[in-house]
């Protein structure tokens, strides 16, 4: 079993109104040190796989086929083995 | 300058319909090895701070005051120094 921690973020240059709203709210609340904000999705997938390589290959395919829009979004992930598997 | 990579996730037991939709779609598309899915927000904040400790303290305060709902959500983050600062 592996845990994939997936980040789906907007590509640079794609308008990010949610991030703008957060940046404005932080500024109003006195967090004037904030320089930039970007917002994306965090998706955690627990999956079965024999090896980390097999898990990585499947998670990358999930990203291509369902989780991310390759035109506007970047997709990256880290894998962690669960239950002491390598 | 520091980059804070923030994960806001639903607490265990809180209903997560978006994750259910993704899990069902993955299953329909043949990803039968998927065991569980959780969905959250990923927020990247670039901020100025003199030290990593100061940055961490400010980011934690942003979480408490704006970015997460402490009743239903967990908030965690990692900090990375930018431009070679420690």
């Amino acid at each position: 079993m592996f845990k994939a921690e997936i980040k789906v973020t907007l590509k640079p240059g794609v308008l990010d109104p949610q991030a703008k709203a957060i940046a404005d709210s932080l500024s109003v609340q006195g967090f004037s040190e904030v320089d930039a904000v970007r917002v994306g999705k965090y998706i955690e997938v627990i999956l079965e796989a024999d090896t980390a390589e097999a898990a990585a290959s499947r998670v990358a395919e999930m990203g291509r086929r369902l989780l991310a829009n390759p035109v506007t979004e970047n997709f990256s992930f880290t894998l962690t083995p669960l239950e002491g598997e390598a």
Side-chain angles (χ1 to χ4, degrees), chain A:
Chain A
M1 299 274 273
F2 292 87
K3 177 167 78 169
E5 300 190 280
I6 300 163
K7 291 187 303 193
V8 180
T9 51
L10 288 170
K11 290 190 176 174
V14 176
L15 203 65
D16 188 349
Q18 197 181 357
K20 179 77 168 61
I22 290 176
D24 289 353
S25 293
L26 286 173
S27 172
V28 165
Q29 298 209 13
F31 293 102
S32 56
E33 71 269 54
V34 171
D35 193 63
V37 177
R38 299 292 285 172
V39 176
K41 275 174 285 188
Y42 170 74
I43 306 171
E44 201 175 278
V45 174
I46 312 288
L47 73 162
E48 305 209 26
D50 291 334
T51 64
E53 290 70 28
S57 156
R58 290 296 274 172
V59 172
E61 196 179 339
M62 290 175 203
R64 279 193 301 274
R65 287 178 52 189
L66 182 75
L67 302 177
N69 175 346
V71 177
T72 57
E73 292 174 329
N74 287 325
F75 177 87
S76 66
F77 63 91
T78 59
L79 276 179
T80 316
L82 298 178
E83 296 166 36
E85 292 182 60

